[in-house]
Amino acid sequence: MQTFKERVFSGVQSTGNLHLGNYLGAILKFVELQKSYDCLYCVVDLHAITVPQDPLALKANTREIAAAFIACGIDPKKNIVFNQSQVAEHAELAWVLSCIARIGWLNRMTQFKDKAGKDRENASIGLYNYPVLMAADILIYRATHVPVGDDQKQHLELARDIAQKFNNDFSESILRNGFGEAFFPLPEPLISGPATRVMSLRDGAKKMSKSDASDYSRINLSDDADQIAQKVRKAKTDPEPLPSEEKGLEGRPEADNLVGIYAALAGRAKADVLGEFGGANFSSFKNALVELAVAKLSPITAEMRRIKQDESYIDGVLRDGAARASVIARENMNAVKDIVGFLR
Ligand code: ATP
Ligand code: MG
């Protein structure tokens, strides 16, 4: 088996309403991983336009996500922080990979089915092809590790299938061009901890999403203490007190969700949290959750607000990141051109 240089890539769409699920499922992991890996963290604006976006809002949201990355503790000097549309090779590789991916593979993607809803004929081709662009985002850097929330697991599997098929289809050319047995690594998803799938506060069967119409379904990173308190207190629960053990959370998705959020914010295991709160009713647990969430999130919210005011700083970070990302992307895209047989 060929070994590849270890590298982390992940992205967040430049759509509004960055929420607790994005933070606990993704960004918190990004911060952790920067200690031990070379990381690229991308604001994926090309993905955002798979559904209609207002151009001015799109720019503002790109800056907002970049500000959130930095406010959460991502160091843009040590890591590469940039927005996707500034590195054209993402889209360029996506074309090549869409000639590798099979329609049957894409037809199985559940995110497309969820997002397109009943009116599938009217969804954009970009929304359908989203997972191929995502594979290109990762593979253009030959990234080996991808921290994501649980909802992206299927897309990661597809990225691995695409990488594998490219390596197989072009095996001779890959060898001839001096890249050994395989050009792309099979990127590994990093999905772990108590909050890989934070659920809506209104419906324990739906994931917390930026695109949910109800603002009460999520805690936004821009919410102040009063908003957090209101949303947690209104969060759907059931009439039973909290169980003392994890097994007691089975069949209680709303309770499971709130305990998972508490555990992730506290950096503790769910079992440990239940050891403390088992037998408590929801009103007292919710009070504790509000206190913890406000303590953890308000410094981030304040820092995000401060950074956001300095647009030229944010634009500078993204430009610098894009320049550094482009060096890697161009080298890999040139290799792909040689492997596929494009003259250059
Ligand atoms: P949308 O609903 O528009 O797709 P989103 O909330 O899913 O928005 P994305 O920008 O698509 O946000 O996702 C960014 C990252 O956050 C991804 O790694 C994704 O897996 C993760 N993520 C999104 N929602 C959750 C959630 N509810 N729990 C844990 N992780 C999540
Ligand atoms: Mg999403």
Side-chain angles (χ1 to χ4, degrees):
M1 261 295 278
Q2 191 151 337
T3 54
F4 291 88
K5 178 181 157 29
E6 293 197 324
R7 182 176 276 152
V8 166
F9 176 92
S10 197
V12 175
Q13 293 191 73
S14 45
T15 42
N17 309 324
L18 191 70
H19 55 76
L20 189 61
N22 301 133
Y23 176 63
L24 296 176
I27 302 175
L28 201 55
K29 311 276 172 60
F30 300 177
V31 177
E32 210 30 56
L33 288 163
Q34 67 181 343
K35 292 182 196 148
S36 30
Y37 291 93
D38 284 343
C39 305
L40 295 110
Y41 295 128
C42 187
V43 187
V44 290
D45 46 9
L46 298 179
H47 285 277
I49 65 160
T50 54
V51 296
Q53 301 292 339
D54 171 72
L56 293 178
L58 183 62
K59 286 187 183 180
N61 287 331
T62 298
R63 292 191 179 109
E64 167 138 335
I65 304 293
F69 282 173
I70 299 164
C72 290
I74 292 170
D75 177 352
K77 292 217 165 69
K78 186 173 181 297
N79 308 282
I80 297 181
V81 175
F82 68 110
N83 60 310
Q84 189 185 21
S85 61
Q86 289 205 61
V87 182
E89 285 81 359
H90 288 244
E92 200 176 359
L93 181 61
W95 175 257
V96 174
L97 298 186
S98 54
C99 299
I100 301 288
R102 307 289 90 184
I103 289 175
W105 299 357
L106 281 180
N107 283 343
R108 288 197 284 275
M109 296 296 115
T110 57
Q111 178 176 287
F112 175 73
K113 291 178 194 165
D114 292 344
K115 288 196 173 178
K118 287 198 176 69
D119 197 9
R120 205 177 291 182
E121 294 280 305
N122 215 10
S124 73
I125 293 169
L127 189 67
Y128 182 73
N129 210 27
Y130 184 115
V132 176
L133 178 59
M134 180 167 154
D137 297 337
I138 299 163
L139 297 176
I140 194 66
Y141 302 104
R142 300 166 94 195
T144 52
H145 294 82
V146 186
V148 281
D150 181 70
D151 63 302
Q152 292 303 318
K153 198 170 168 189
Q154 194 185 31
H155 289 169
L156 246 299
E157 278 159 15
L158 183 90
R160 292 167 65 91
D161 288 345
I162 293 173
Q164 179 79 66
K165 183 161 162 52
F166 181 93
N167 289 340
N168 290 346
D169 289 359
F170 293 103
S171 58
E172 271 175 39
S173 186
I174 289 170
L175 193 63
R176 200 174 339 110
N177 280 282
F179 293 106
E181 285 167 25
F183 181 69
F184 289 127
L186 305 187
E188 241 180 80
L190 300 176
I191 305 173
S192 65
T196 57
R197 188 178 185 84
V198 177
M199 305 310 276
S200 157
L201 299 180
R202 308 298 285 163
D203 178 354
K206 260 173 49 184
K207 89 163 184 80
M208 189 178 280
S209 271
K210 294 189 193 125
S211 49
D212 195 311
S214 164
D215 201 50
Y216 274 93
S217 69
R218 63 183 161 257
I219 293 173
N220 299 308
L221 289 196
S222 56
D223 284 346
D224 61 26
D226 287 345
Q227 286 168 307
I228 293 175
Q230 249 183 16
K231 288 176 175 180
V232 171
R233 296 212 168 98
K234 273 189 194 276
K236 191 176 166 202
T237 48
D238 57 43
E240 302 294 318
L242 283 169
S244 306
E245 286 172 18
E246 255 188 288
K247 204 163 164 29
L249 292 172
E250 280 171 19
R252 300 178 64 186
E254 288 86 10
D256 189 16
N257 189 37
L258 294 184
V259 171
I261 291 174
Y262 190 101
L265 283 171
R268 291 164 62 183
K270 279 200 229 177
D272 185 34
V273 172
L274 291 176
E276 183 182 343
F277 289 98
N281 57 26
F282 274 105
S283 65
S284 63
F285 179 65
K286 281 179 169 180
N287 285 338
L289 179 55
V290 168
E291 202 178 307
L292 177 65
V294 169
K296 292 284 175 183
L297 299 180
S298 60
I300 296 174
T301 309
E303 183 64 359
M304 232 169 103
R305 216 167 277 154
R306 188 187 69 77
I307 296 169
K308 245 168 63 176
Q309 282 168 353
D310 193 348
E311 286 186 1
S312 63
Y313 164 72
I314 298 175
D315 293 0
V317 164
L318 295 175
R319 222 178 299 116
D320 170 64
R324 288 154 61 206
S326 289
V327 175
I328 308 169
R330 203 166 304 132
E331 186 186 334
N332 289 336
M333 194 64 220
N334 281 339
V336 167
K337 287 180 175 174
D338 293 343
I339 290 165
V340 171
F342 295 152
L343 280 176
R344 62 181 181 94

